[in-house]
Amino acid sequence: MLDYTIKENALLNKVILVTGAGDGIGRQAAISYAEQGASVILLGKTVSKLEAVYDEIINAGYPEPAIIPLDLKGATEQHYIDMATTIEQQYQRLDGLLHNAGILTVLSPFEQIEQDSFDDVMQVNVKAPFLMTKALLPLMKKTSNSSIVFTSSGVGKKGRAYWGSYAISKFATEGMMETLSDELENTSVRVNAINPGATQTNMRARAYPGEDATLLKTPKQIIAPWLFLMADESADVTGQSIDAQPK
Ligand SMILES: NC(=O)c1ccc[n+]([C@@H]2O[C@H](COP(=O)([O-])OP(=O)(O)OC[C@H]3O[C@@H](n4cnc5c(N)ncnc54)[C@H](OP(=O)(O)O)[C@@H]3O)[C@@H](O)[C@H]2O)c1
């Protein structure tokens, strides 16, 4: 699936929600989904970034996206319930949900992790996808073949010194994906995760300020598994944690 080439317009008529769609990997996923015909719902914190992605999609002649400005740090369960109602009213369906938004905060020794910083990471990386999935599942179950994709990390599979809260949150992400996939085994909803690997984005630059970022793959170069998991060809794939850049 890493060298998967999606058929033209394979996502036509699908509605796909992408969190963190204004930047990095989420931005590329949203544009690539739209390119294949999907109506993309762009969710994120910084409205100007979402608007830039919106313009890019419109200027390319792809289906008109929608924007949901939402700071996952402050969002409550009611925000997600209201969001699910709005999506159902506007589209009557949701075929794909890409949980991509994430934060890293600072890398530090375990003893120095501030409680507030730990809470922020767990809120954005774990609790937000949990509440959003919970609210959207009834709608996704109505679609004949729908896909939830979580975003993992190498440190969500093998812990690494100083990656504290972020690594813990990504282990939780893997656990949420496996639990949900097992629970939804006999439904039309499949659940998987992708670990992007080292990718040229702002988050990576903050974690490794000294490295030559031009040596890293761009989001566009690694986007194949994100497309595969939203296309009908992956209808039978569930419970998988996919490394987009295996060593
Ligand atoms: N890049 C890598 O090497 C790498 C490796 C492994 C895993 N990952 C994972 O891949 C995913 C995407 O990361 P990236 O590298 O593309 O990072 P990025 O460039 O920093 O983008 C993160 C996105 O998440 C959004 N976001 C952050 N906090 C948010 C909040 N409170 N509410 C709503 N949206 C929020 C950001 O919006 P704003 O720009 O508006 O803040 C941004 O669009 C993350 O889950 C990350 O953990 C990345």
Side-chain angles (χ1 to χ4, degrees):
M1 86 188 59
L2 300 181
D3 53 7
Y4 171 74
T5 306
I6 194 163
K7 291 192 195 83
E8 207 175 323
N9 282 328
L11 304 180
L12 202 65
N13 299 325
K14 287 190 188 290
V15 179
I16 302 176
L17 170 60
V18 178
T19 73
D23 216 335
I25 296 164
R27 174 188 166 279
Q28 183 58 50
I31 292 169
S32 295
Y33 293 152
E35 183 180 10
Q36 300 310 329
S39 296
V40 183
I41 303 170
L42 310 167
L43 186 149
K45 188 171 59 156
T46 310
V47 176
S48 57
K49 289 186 184 181
L50 299 173
E51 287 174 345
V53 178
Y54 177 99
D55 289 345
E56 201 169 328
I57 289 173
I58 292 292
N59 292 340
Y62 307 149
E64 184 178 10
I67 289 180
I68 298 183
L70 188 67
D71 184 345
L72 301 179
K73 204 152 88 178
T76 64
E77 183 158 29
Q78 193 59 45
H79 283 105
Y80 299 112
I81 293 168
D82 293 346
M83 188 176 95
T85 306
T86 306
I87 293 171
E88 179 150 30
Q89 281 169 353
Q90 192 160 341
Y91 296 100
Q92 296 82 48
R93 60 189 296 138
L94 186 64
D95 303 272
L97 171 58
L98 171 59
H99 290 298
N100 161 83
I103 54 170
L104 177 64
T105 69
V106 285
L107 302 184
S108 74
F110 203 91
E111 289 168 62
Q112 291 171 18
I113 300 171
E114 300 279 353
Q115 191 181 158
D116 287 351
S117 162
F118 182 86
D119 286 346
D120 286 351
V121 173
M122 296 308 275
Q123 174 72 31
V124 174
N125 295 4
V126 182
K127 194 170 173 189
F130 156 64
L131 289 175
M132 195 183 300
T133 304
K134 193 179 153 195
L136 291 170
L137 258 182
L139 180 59
M140 296 192 81
K141 281 179 175 168
K142 287 185 192 167
T143 309
S144 56
N145 153 20
S146 58
S147 174
I148 300 174
V149 179
F150 288 94
T151 306
S152 182
S153 166
V155 298
K157 299 176 183 198
K158 171 113 183 54
R160 192 182 307 157
Y162 310 119
W163 284 69
S165 321
Y166 179 82
I168 295 166
S169 77
K170 293 299 185 181
F171 267 92
T173 301
E174 290 275 347
M176 186 154 40
M177 179 278 286
E178 283 188 18
T179 304
L180 197 55
S181 164
D182 197 42
E183 192 172 316
L184 298 178
E185 198 184 355
N186 297 316
T187 72
S188 58
V189 187
R190 62 195 184 279
V191 189
N192 297 282
I194 302 175
N195 162 27
T199 312
Q200 214 183 98
T201 68
N202 288 337
M203 180 187 283
R204 174 75 191 187
R206 278 194 298 275
Y208 294 90
E211 83 181 343
D212 179 358
T214 62
L215 300 177
L216 302 175
K217 292 268 170 60
T218 63
K220 194 171 185 175
Q221 289 172 314
I222 60 162
I223 210 66
W226 280 263
L227 286 167
F228 173 72
L229 288 178
M230 289 300 172
D232 288 342
E233 283 133 300
S234 64
D236 295 333
V237 178
T238 193
Q240 302 299 307
S241 180
I242 296 159
D243 287 323
Q245 302 184 65
K247 296 247 163 63

